[in-house]
């Protein structure tokens, strides 16, 4: 039995295909960084985690997803809905999971889920994690795995109680990013599954979070509350060295929200 199953939704939903192609030409070459961060946090606390990247595996059929869930038998399923183009499929996935496996707790996070948490809850999710998820999701998992049902003290969540949506106070932003473990991509299989269309392997690195600017077309500033936080150079280099010892990468993609904010850095 697995404690937690983390699922990246299928990206290539017909209704959102045009939007998806603008954002990601090929979603197979970009690993689910957010879920990998959650996995690392859970594993650090000895919680067993498995991952399922439906976009990578080109799994759209919900019954096939159900077969994987039965095989792994998780107590908790975490789903990332970060973009609008994953929402339609994500909502159907949530509804299917709650109908088919009502005893499993379904927790959803990501940018899209943070701002449209009411839609996510209406789809059937038990809880929405708002904004950064590492400590919030860890706390939820620990409570559920201990058999506890009172989650009212968990900061940064939304859920339904007695037919009404309840939102708890926001959790403070993580100030020291160096305290976080490196993302654990192993839950999705070998990293070299995420090759570019030319078969080159690209390392995805986040050396900071957030953006201090307030562009009206972007949710990043709001998600990070108008702040930017940096990992130390040493911590970032240590992760790069770790990855290079594991795989032969042809390039490094710095996926920061705004890498050029601090030019001296």
């Amino acid at each position: 039995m697995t404690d937690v199953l983390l699922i990246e939704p299928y990206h290539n939903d017909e209704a959102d295909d045009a939007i998806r192609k603008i954002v990601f030409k090929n979603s197979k070459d970009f690993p689910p960084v957010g879920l990998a961060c959650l996995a690392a946090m859970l594993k650090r606390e000895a919680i067993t985690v498995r991952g399922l990247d439906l976009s990578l595996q080109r799994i759209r059929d919900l019954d096939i997803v159900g077969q994987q869930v039965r095989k792994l038998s998780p107590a908790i399923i975490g789903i990332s809905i970060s973009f609008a183009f994953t929402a339609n499929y994500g909502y159907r996935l949530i509804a299917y999971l709650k109908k088919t496996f009502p005893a499993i707790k379904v927790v959803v996070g990501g940018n899209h889920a943070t701002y449209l948490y009411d839609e996510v809850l209406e789809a059937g999710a038990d809880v929405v994690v708002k904004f950064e998820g590492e400590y919030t999701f860890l706390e939820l998992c620990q409570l559920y795995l201990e058999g506890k049902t009172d989650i009212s003290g968990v900061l940064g969540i939304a859920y339904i109680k007695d037919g009404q949506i309840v939102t708890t106070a926001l959790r403070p932003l993580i100030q020291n990013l160096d305290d976080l473990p490196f993302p654990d991509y192993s839950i999705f299989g070998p990293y070299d599954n995420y090759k570019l269309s030319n078969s080159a392997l690209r390392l995805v690195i986040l050396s900071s979070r957030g953006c201090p600017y307030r562009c009206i077309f972007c949710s990043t500033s709001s998600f990070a509350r108008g702040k930017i936080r940096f990992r130390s150079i040493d911590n970032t280099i240590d992760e790069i060295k770790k990855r290079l010892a594991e795989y032969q990468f042809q390039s490094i993609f710095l996926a920061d929200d705004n890498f050029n904010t601090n030019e001296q850095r």
Side-chain angles (χ1 to χ4, degrees):
M1 178 177 175
T2 301
D3 291 329
V4 180
L5 173 62
L6 299 176
I7 299 179
E8 178 72 11
Y10 186 73
H11 287 189
N12 196 16
D13 206 25
E14 289 179 357
D16 301 311
D17 189 40
I19 299 174
R20 181 194 64 81
K21 287 179 179 178
I22 295 172
V23 182
F24 294 126
K25 292 182 179 179
N26 184 356
S27 57
K28 288 199 304 180
D29 63 35
F30 202 97
V33 181
L35 292 181
C37 290
L38 298 184
M41 283 291 288
L42 297 178
K43 285 188 174 184
R44 190 165 73 176
E45 300 301 320
I47 295 173
T48 59
V49 191
R50 297 291 296 273
L52 186 58
D53 186 344
L54 302 182
S55 188
L56 173 68
Q57 299 185 35
R58 291 294 188 257
I59 297 175
R60 183 177 182 178
D61 189 326
L62 294 175
D63 288 329
I64 296 177
V65 178
Q67 292 172 13
Q68 295 293 319
V69 173
R70 288 188 185 90
K71 178 181 177 182
L72 297 171
S73 188
I76 303 160
I77 293 177
I79 301 172
S80 172
I81 302 183
S82 290
F83 304 101
F85 62 77
T86 62
N88 287 341
Y89 182 87
Y91 293 165
R92 294 200 299 274
L93 175 62
I94 294 165
Y96 170 84
L97 291 172
K98 288 308 297 182
K99 179 180 179 180
T100 312
F101 308 99
I104 297 177
K105 296 295 185 182
V106 174
V107 182
V108 183
N111 291 50
H112 184 91
T114 291
Y115 295 110
L116 295 176
Y117 58 85
D118 52 339
E119 289 187 3
V120 179
L121 292 171
E122 288 170 6
D126 292 291
V127 185
V128 171
V129 171
K130 300 175 66 180
F131 302 98
E132 290 180 327
E134 283 93 344
Y135 288 103
T136 304
F137 188 59
L138 172 61
E139 185 177 351
L140 278 172
C141 290
Q142 289 172 327
L143 288 172
Y144 284 143
L145 293 172
E146 291 170 2
K148 297 177 181 178
T149 57
D150 183 5
I151 58 174
S152 60
V154 179
L155 297 178
I157 61 172
Y159 60 98
I160 294 177
K161 182 178 181 181
D162 299 328
Q164 300 295 318
I165 293 178
V166 176
T167 58
T168 63
L170 293 181
R171 184 177 295 272
L173 292 172
I174 300 169
Q175 294 304 313
N176 188 356
L177 300 181
D178 287 2
D179 286 342
L180 300 175
F182 299 152
D184 189 333
Y185 297 105
S186 67
I187 64 169
F188 301 111
Y191 193 101
D192 55 10
N193 287 333
Y194 294 97
K195 290 185 176 179
L196 297 168
S197 57
N198 63 359
S199 295
L201 189 59
R202 174 183 64 180
L203 172 59
V204 177
I205 288 287
L206 284 171
S207 73
S208 66
R209 290 184 182 182
C211 178
Y213 306 110
R214 297 187 178 277
C215 302
I216 61 173
F217 57 81
C218 179
S219 68
T220 295
S221 178
S222 174
F223 195 85
R225 300 173 215 174
K227 301 181 183 301
I228 186 167
R229 293 151 293 146
F230 300 99
R231 293 168 63 184
S232 68
I233 299 299
D234 287 344
N235 181 261
T236 305
I237 295 298
D238 284 346
E239 183 185 354
I240 293 173
K241 288 180 177 179
K242 178 181 185 297
R243 305 300 182 196
L244 290 175
E246 297 168 338
Y247 296 98
Q248 293 194 356
F249 295 95
Q250 283 71 51
S251 63
I252 297 175
F253 175 43
L254 290 160
D256 297 34
D257 296 313
N258 194 333
F259 179 73
N260 295 323
T261 301
N262 185 333
E263 292 185 9
Q264 187 174 19
R265 176 178 178 270

